[in-house]
Amino acid sequence: TDPNISVMLRDCSRVLAEHDIGLFVCVASCEAERARAAGFVASGRVDGALLVSARAGDPIMDQLMASGVPLGAIGVPLGRESSMAYVSVDDRRGARQMMSHLKSLGRSRIATVTGPLDTPGGRKRLQGYRDEAGCDLVAKGDYSQESGERAMTSLLEKSPDLDAVFVASDVMALGVLAALQRAGRRVPDDVAVGGFDDSPAATAAWPSLTTIRQPWRQISTEMVRLLLSLVGGEPHTAVILPTELVVRDSA
């Protein structure tokens, strides 16, 4: 359901096609699927593997590394940063960018809706929020729109005087906007809202969403480059890319 994953897969497929290499997609969202995916990678039928959206402690990282197949990750592989190639944006800095923007609007009671804290985006964007917030108004989400709505409802109950919210994904921000509208809070007059990703959800939102842009095409290009270098016998490296603040109507 995460629109960012389909964007990354499309771009990775496009870049690999320039090298006449195909992309085979395995879904590994439960134990049985992880076992099948790891077995397929270890079977010798692929030249390399690309791990997308892994969570801290996910056994598939160890399973894939044990296969000996060149392995790279999109997003920081929490707990395996020193032993895997990966490409990520600077999530913590991106969160600080958004927080600085919200504070520049005169907002002082800024809350946040986090992503799952066993994911790099969830963990590092929360760190960026806490670097700048001056308060700790935190509700957890799971990157779904529904979780954003639940989290915003909870925040309003606990802190009715909040005047801004930084949401760790644009999709969750759609739920935040719905909860604010239901509560009679005007955006951005009463509560400013900032998201993260600059996914299609940001421009579909009403009002349109101020957000942090991830350079999706560059992420995919760099990841393919790193993975092909691993296949060619080069050592693993990491690339951290910058984010960009995109100002629209919500903040």
Side-chain angles (χ1 to χ4, degrees):
T1 60
D2 184 345
N4 303 318
I5 291 179
S6 62
V7 170
M8 285 186 288
L9 292 176
R10 183 190 65 217
D11 283 344
C12 284
S13 180
R14 174 187 54 80
V15 178
L16 283 166
E18 295 172 1
H19 299 272
D20 200 26
I21 297 173
L23 179 68
F24 185 88
V25 178
C26 297
V27 178
S29 58
C30 65
E31 184 175 352
E33 290 176 344
R34 283 194 293 269
R36 283 195 294 271
F40 177 78
V41 169
S43 68
R45 288 177 284 181
V46 299
D47 297 305
L50 173 60
L51 186 60
V52 180
S53 192
R55 298 191 173 206
D58 191 329
I60 198 170
M61 285 197 280
D62 290 333
Q63 293 167 344
L64 292 175
M65 291 179 71
S67 73
V69 172
L71 174 65
I74 290 181
V76 178
L78 295 173
R80 297 290 183 272
E81 294 94 330
S82 63
S83 55
M84 283 180 62
Y86 65 91
V87 176
S88 177
V89 297
D90 192 338
D91 288 289
R92 188 169 183 170
R93 179 177 176 272
R96 291 200 302 264
Q97 284 177 297
M98 179 58 73
M99 291 298 296
S100 295
H101 173 68
L102 294 172
K103 290 165 69 176
S104 76
L105 301 176
R107 309 304 169 113
S108 60
R109 294 282 293 168
I110 305 173
T112 189
V113 178
T114 77
L117 297 182
D118 59 354
T119 64
R123 188 176 298 183
K124 292 179 180 295
R125 293 169 202 176
L126 176 59
Q127 290 171 345
Y129 164 81
R130 286 177 166 158
D131 289 342
E132 302 286 340
C135 58
D136 203 51
L137 306 176
V138 178
K140 295 178 182 178
D142 60 13
Y143 290 139
S144 71
Q145 182 173 337
E146 294 77 14
S147 73
E149 189 165 356
R150 289 193 302 268
M152 190 69 245
T153 300
S154 173
L155 286 168
L156 288 171
E157 291 172 352
K158 295 175 182 177
S159 304
D161 60 340
L162 65 84
D163 57 11
V165 58
F166 163 51
V167 192
S169 82
D170 295 342
V171 171
M172 286 196 300
L174 295 178
V176 165
L177 292 171
L180 289 169
Q181 183 180 28
R182 189 175 61 250
R185 303 296 182 92
R186 298 169 299 167
V187 177
D189 305 68
D190 301 323
V191 180
V193 177
F196 203 107
D197 289 332
D198 198 27
S199 68
T203 51
W206 187 87
S208 60
L209 193 63
T210 293
T211 189
I212 296 296
R213 175 176 292 158
Q214 298 201 58
W216 299 113
R217 181 162 295 224
Q218 190 177 2
I219 290 170
S220 301
T221 299
E222 287 296 313
M223 191 63 254
V224 169
R225 182 184 65 81
L226 289 188
L227 190 56
L228 292 179
S229 71
L230 289 173
V231 172
E234 297 295 321
H236 63 80
T237 57
V239 174
I240 306 295
L241 298 171
T243 56
E244 177 186 355
L245 174 69
V246 180
V247 177
R248 297 192 179 98
D249 295 335
S250 69

